[in-house]
Structures are given as structure tokens and as C-alpha cells.
Amino acid sequence: MYVDDHTTLYLVAMLKAYGIKYIVSSPGTQNAGFNLCVQEDKDFKCFSVVDERSAAYVATGLAFETGEPVVITCTGATASRNYLSALTEAFYRKLPIIAITYTHYSNKFNLEPQTLDRSVSQNDVKALSIELPVIDSDADKNKCISYINAALTKAFAMHMPIHINVVNSPKLMSFTTHKLPQDFWITKLYKDNFGSLKNELNNKKIGIFVGEHKNFSTMEEKALSDFAQSYNAAVFCDHTSNYHGSNKILISQIVEQTDADFIPDIMIDMGGISGEYSSGKLFKKVNYWRISPDGEFHSRCGRPVSKLFACKEEDFFSSLKAEHSSSTVFYNKLDAACKKIKTPELPLCNALVCQYLSQYIPENSSLHLGILNSLRNMNFFQLPNNINVVCNVGGFGIDGPVSSAIGQSLASDKKVFALFGDLAFFYDMNALGIREIKNNLRILVVNNNRGEEFRLNPLLEGPFKEKTDVLVAAAGHNKGGIKGWAEACSFHYMTVSSKDMLEEKIKEFCTKSYDKPVLFEVYTTNEDEQKGLSLMRSKDKQIKNNSSKSSLLKKIIGKR
């Protein structure tokens, strides 16, 4: 157990590591530990200003004159309220003030003095506000380190004020004998002039991870392709990356269907959220670099970010492209392993639907996928290079996939295909009544009579099985299927409930001309869905061997 105020010690240690020198401190009990830590440390230049309003304005003068971030710190109660006017000034002048406030370790529903709610403040007083918990475990420590890095890189990257609220430990350490910790990581920020980093890339196994991404421009894709080819790097993607260039590796294929050594030495990360849950295996023990055009700090899979590049993706890859071809064979080995994958004989299930849809979807179409099961299964199969794929992975809910696909179709003359499970479809079924829907929209619904994702989860299926159908998987709704609603909304309706007819019907769904939008319902069973996914996941046993079952269960339950 942690018995001292480790949160403050990590905060002070990381301020030092980032080279932050100036501190303007106001007196008080809640921030006494911080003040005692820094006042005799020769790496800090501390100033005492009793009036918090004046202290914050003193910091704006220091920040302007030095061009460096300046810390201000105060106690609990109303002290921090006096910072607002100066932080507003700093916000509009882009001055990097780091406001460190302390709050009492308390139950907020208790009537205790000096306990204020700092969770909400005006938009124009800070670029970021975080709260650091009392460190009672390694998980708390890792969260603190990540949050402090996020806040400090924001101050440096954007030259904007930020706010760090610290929940004070109920146990104060002896600050006369304290030692600052060293088991933390910091993120080095680069905005330009990073061409010298080529030396760090030479002769390394390099991976580029592309999360959900807008459509690449021709120049952006060329820059990434040229970079990947110059280092023989693997570009790890799921379909929502919308990357169609060289050295592409589908994450599901390499991680779940091969035994290849797919972990790189350096992983260069870009893009947004990925709905490919197996991607975490790619990040084990890698040297993790992140490209963030807007300068925002993000970490994937909880990995320490050693370098953050606040620049355009195209500029990064153009600047660091190798001058000579690499001697590594990293991508070549992974590509060879993927080419050996053979699709098994599948029952009538979502995976089989994806197999046929990937074969027959017309070129230059758009594809909108429902989260989880539909997205996962399509990621096992290659698509034509000119198919752009979208999935609502931002909020990652089932709320509006039908509406989103309709929006795409309204703005395009392309054919827009959509693949959803029944729960996601019915959740958003009212959208079919929108009067402007065009005949370029084609929706395929895999109806397995439930939220099949929860029956495919081994942590739920093992102990609970059909009990999950009652409230978790919500089986048995909408017993009549989609036909009546589809026809009432003037859709052409198709259906299949046997494997024999599926390929022919999907080919027709993809290639035939229709004078109205199309809704295609494919009926599957829980048993066939479980069998299909098990066949596709040749390394499914890895999930069952996960030692942190409770944390994984919490993650899955937290996502519908």
C-alpha cells in the first residue's frame, strides 16, 4: 500500500523532468506538501504571493517574459476562484500557466469545510483540466503519470493555461526525508526539425498503427506508403483506417489468424479510436511514438508515449523517410504469414456474410459497419482498395448507425452499403422513414434474435449461457423481423435463412440495379454465430488465458 502523498511527489518529479522552473505559490494547508517539496529544491525558482489573484497575474508576467510555463499553486476553499481573471487573460494571450489546486480528501456529501467542486469551470480559462487521485495502487500511479503527461504536453504544445487538481492524501509524509520517484515516463514533444530521428529508426522493426481515419489525400497516402516501403515497415490497420497504400496488414488477420512475431520495436501511432480489440497485443513493450496534428496527447492501450509529434502526418513521414532501403524484412514476413491464411468452411453467420460481401461489393462504394460483431468479422477479410469504410467508433454506441449510413448516402452518388446486427438496426429503425432516402442505400441486417456480442463473450457465456439472453443480450425483441417496416418505408426487401442461397443473394444485393433502397435480412442462430467466430479466431484460446478476467469483463460490460 502507498502510505505517503505519492501523488504530489510524482507531480513534482515530472515538473522537474519537463524542465519547469518557475513557481508562484500562495500559502495554505492543502498545498503545504507541494510547497515543502519545492521550496528548497534548487531546480525551482519559487515566489511567494499571498493574494491568489495577484499571484496568477504575476505568473502571466513571468510566462510572457520568459516564454516558459509557470506554475501557480494554492490551497482549497475559495482560493482557486481568485485565479479566474488571470487565467482568462492567459487563455486569450496563449500563456502557459499551470494552475495546481488542492482539494481535501473527502466524501463530497459530507459537510466538511474547504471542499469545493472544481470539476467544472469556464471554457476560456484553461485548455485542459485534470484531477489526480490519491495514489493507493499501481493503477492509480499509472493514471497519474498519464494525466500529468497529458496536461504538461498540452501546456508546451499549445502555450495555453492548464489546470491540475490534486486530491490531497489523508496521510502527510515527512517532507524532510522525502525522495522524488524515478519510475515514471515523460513525453518529448516535437513540432518540427525532427529529421535527425532517422538514426533511431535505422535497422528497427517499425510498425505504423492507423486508427479510424478520414479519407487520405493522394499526397498523405503517398507519404505514408513511401515511408513504410523505405523501412519495410508494416502498416497495421482495420478497415476504418481507410488506408489503401503499401505495406498494409489487417490487424485481425495477423494477430488472430497467424503465429507470426508481429510486435515491432517502434510503433508509430496515428488516427482515432480503433474498434479492433485485438490491437492491444501489438503494443506490448514497444517504443511508442504518436503523431498528433492538433497537439493533443493520447495514448493507445495504456502505453507510455515517448515522443509526441504535433505536426501534419504528411510532414512527419516525408521528413523521416529513409534515404536508402532498409535491410529489415519485418513487413515481408508478416505479409507472407497473412497470405497463408485460408478461410474455413463457415456456417450461416456474420463471418460468412462478410466473406461474401467482401467479394461482391462494387468498387468505389462506401461501407458503413455496425460496432463490434459486424466490424470484427469484416476485419478478417480484404476489401477492394477503393472502398471507404466508416463505423461509429467515436462514442462506440449502437445509437445511430442507420441514420449515419443514410447521411452518407444523401451526400454521395456512390452506392452506400451498411452491415448491422439486429439490435443496432432496430435501435435506429425510425430513420428508414426519412423521405429523402435515395436508391443508392443498401442495408444488410444480420438478425440473430439478440445482441449476439454478449453471447460471443467467453467471460459471460461460460458461467451464464442462455441466462444472458434475458437482460444482457436482450433476446426475443422484434419477433416479426424487418419485412413489414421495410416495405412500409418503400424499401425493396430481401431475406435469406439458409446457407445455400446466401452467396447468390448477396451477389444480387451488391450488383443488381434497383429503383429503390434495399434492405436485406439474413437470419442466423446463436449456435452458428459462436461456431463461425471460433473458426475464424484460430487463436481464440488467448482470450481465455487472459489473467485479468475481471478487468476485461468490466470493459466489455461497459460497451453495449
Side-chain angles (χ1 to χ4, degrees):
M1 288 290 292
Y2 293 84
V3 296
D4 290 332
D5 185 6
H6 280 67
T7 305
T8 290
L9 291 181
Y10 276 98
L11 177 57
V12 172
M14 293 179 69
L15 290 171
K16 284 168 64 81
Y18 272 89
I20 293 167
K21 299 190 291 290
Y22 297 102
I23 297 175
V24 181
S25 178
S26 298
T29 301
Q30 295 300 321
N31 65 333
F34 181 88
N35 284 335
L36 288 166
C37 249
V38 300
Q39 68 182 15
E40 296 180 5
D41 192 316
K42 294 181 180 178
D43 287 333
F44 296 112
K45 188 168 181 58
C46 300
F47 305 90
S48 177
V49 181
V50 175
D51 182 326
E52 288 87 3
R53 180 176 180 273
S54 178
Y57 273 109
V58 168
T60 65
L62 279 168
F64 174 77
E65 192 64 27
T66 64
E68 298 180 25
V70 177
V71 170
I72 54 176
T73 182
C74 67
T75 188
T78 57
S80 63
R81 297 296 195 258
N82 296 307
Y83 282 165
L84 291 176
S85 57
L87 288 177
T88 304
E89 177 75 11
F91 185 91
Y92 285 106
R93 287 176 59 198
K94 295 187 180 299
L95 298 173
I97 306 300
I98 301 169
I100 298 176
T101 59
Y102 275 79
T103 192
H104 187 55
Y105 186 88
S106 169
N107 178 340
K108 68 179 181 179
F109 297 105
N110 285 344
L111 294 174
E112 295 194 29
Q114 299 193 47
T115 303
L116 274 67
D117 182 359
R118 295 198 182 102
S119 61
V120 177
S121 61
Q122 292 90 334
N123 289 333
D124 58 353
V125 299
K126 84 290 179 194
L128 178 68
S129 180
I130 61 169
E131 181 167 285
L132 304 181
V134 172
I135 295 180
D136 283 325
S137 66
D138 284 338
D140 293 333
K141 181 189 78 172
N142 293 336
K143 178 179 178 180
C144 274
I145 292 170
S146 182
Y147 276 31
I148 294 168
N149 274 300
L152 298 185
T153 54
K154 171 77 79 171
F156 277 97
M158 298 184 66
H159 280 267
M160 294 291 279
I162 57 100
H163 171 225
I164 300 175
N165 192 49
V166 185
V167 178
N168 224 341
S169 171
K171 299 178 181 180
L172 292 176
M173 69 182 70
S174 171
F175 281 97
T176 59
T177 60
H178 74 266
K179 277 191 174 182
L180 293 181
Q182 296 182 338
D183 59 335
F184 61 87
W185 51 273
I186 66 169
T187 300
K188 189 165 184 181
L189 177 68
Y190 295 86
K191 292 185 177 181
D192 48 33
N193 299 322
F194 42 77
S196 61
L197 295 176
K198 286 181 184 179
N199 293 332
E200 296 189 31
L201 298 172
N202 286 338
N203 301 315
K204 295 289 196 305
K205 294 188 297 182
I206 297 171
I208 301 107
F209 187 97
V210 188
E212 184 273 335
H213 201 283
K214 64 179 177 62
N215 296 337
F216 283 81
S217 71
T218 301
M219 293 305 295
E220 288 170 338
E221 192 160 272
K222 183 179 187 304
L224 174 49
S225 289
D226 289 348
F227 174 92
Q229 288 177 316
S230 73
Y231 291 101
N232 202 251
V235 185
F236 296 107
C237 303
D238 71 25
H239 288 309
T240 64
S241 71
N242 288 307
Y243 174 68
H244 306 308
S246 303
N247 293 33
K248 180 177 177 179
I249 296 288
L250 281 180
I251 299 164
S252 288
Q253 288 189 342
I254 196 64
V255 173
E256 301 202 67
Q257 296 184 303
T258 79
D259 291 316
D261 178 9
F262 48 72
I263 300 177
D265 299 319
I266 297 174
M267 182 69 87
I268 299 165
D269 180 35
M270 58 189 286
I273 294 168
S274 171
E276 181 51 76
Y277 283 98
S278 62
S279 61
K281 298 182 180 73
L282 293 166
F283 285 82
K284 292 180 180 179
K285 299 180 180 179
V286 297
N287 182 358
Y288 179 26
W289 300 7
R290 166 81 185 167
I291 308 172
S292 180
D294 57 7
E296 293 285 344
F297 175 95
H298 292 289
S299 173
R300 205 180 297 275
C301 305
R303 292 297 301 162
V305 183
S306 65
K307 294 178 175 60
L308 181 70
F309 297 87
C311 66
K312 293 180 180 179
E313 294 163 350
E314 181 183 343
D315 292 344
F316 173 90
F317 292 116
S318 297
S319 297
L320 290 177
K321 175 188 171 186
E323 296 174 5
H324 306 287
S325 297
S326 172
S327 60
T328 63
V329 291
F330 185 51
Y331 165 72
N332 292 344
K333 286 186 175 180
L334 302 190
D335 183 50
C338 288
K339 286 177 177 175
K340 293 178 182 178
I341 296 171
K342 294 183 179 179
T343 303
E345 183 70 24
L346 294 166
L348 180 60
C349 61
N350 199 317
L352 185 64
V353 168
C354 290
Q355 181 184 0
Y356 291 147
L357 188 58
S358 68
Q359 293 174 14
Y360 294 111
I361 188 169
E363 292 191 353
N364 295 307
S365 300
S366 291
L367 175 61
H368 192 109
L369 298 171
I371 60 168
L372 295 174
N373 200 26
S374 297
L375 175 63
R376 177 198 299 115
N377 279 296
M378 186 56 76
N379 279 329
F380 285 119
F381 301 99
Q382 296 286 350
L383 287 166
N385 266 341
N386 48 25
I387 302 292
N388 290 322
V389 180
V390 179
C391 178
N392 288 350
V393 295
F396 220 84
I398 66 170
D399 304 47
V402 180
S403 299
S404 296
I406 289 171
Q408 287 179 254
S409 71
L410 294 176
S412 175
D413 292 326
K414 295 183 189 179
K415 289 180 180 177
V416 175
F417 291 84
L419 175 63
F420 306 125
D422 51 293
L423 245 58
F425 172 81
F426 286 119
Y427 199 104
D428 196 23
M429 64 186 289
N430 285 341
L432 264 64
I434 295 172
R435 66 189 180 194
E436 286 87 3
I437 292 176
K438 304 189 298 185
N439 66 349
N440 64 337
L441 177 66
R442 304 191 180 191
I443 299 173
L444 196 159
V445 177
V446 178
N447 191 341
N448 36 56
N449 192 41
R450 57 179 51 78
E452 186 63 34
E453 181 63 25
F454 305 103
R455 296 299 304 272
L456 296 174
N457 175 355
L459 300 179
L460 290 171
E461 183 67 9
F464 302 113
K465 295 185 171 59
E466 66 277 356
K467 289 182 180 180
T468 312
D469 281 343
V470 181
L471 295 179
V472 178
H477 291 291
N478 301 291
K479 296 181 178 66
I482 297 167
K483 182 178 180 181
W485 183 240
E487 292 178 344
C489 294
S490 300
F491 275 68
H492 176 77
Y493 176 78
M494 303 169 61
T495 186
V496 159
S497 56
S498 68
K499 178 179 175 180
D500 294 342
M501 294 294 294
L502 181 65
E503 182 173 9
E504 178 183 336
K505 286 291 186 181
I506 285 185
K507 184 176 181 181
E508 179 182 321
F509 170 73
C510 289
T511 59
K512 186 177 176 180
S513 295
Y514 296 94
D515 60 359
K516 56 177 68 175
V518 182
L519 207 158
F520 183 12
E521 186 171 23
V522 177
Y523 286 95
T524 70
T525 66
N526 172 56
E527 293 73 21
D528 282 344
E529 290 287 358
Q530 291 182 334
K531 182 180 178 182
L533 185 57
S534 179
L535 288 168
M536 292 303 297
R537 274 180 161 166
S538 60
K539 300 194 318 183
D540 188 55
K541 60 182 180 294
Q542 290 187 357
I543 294 177
K544 297 177 183 177
N545 290 336
N546 191 324
S547 60
S548 57
K549 288 187 177 181
S550 61
S551 62
L552 181 56
L553 180 59
K554 288 177 184 177
K555 287 182 181 179
I556 295 171
I557 289 176
K559 297 175 172 65
R560 290 184 290 178

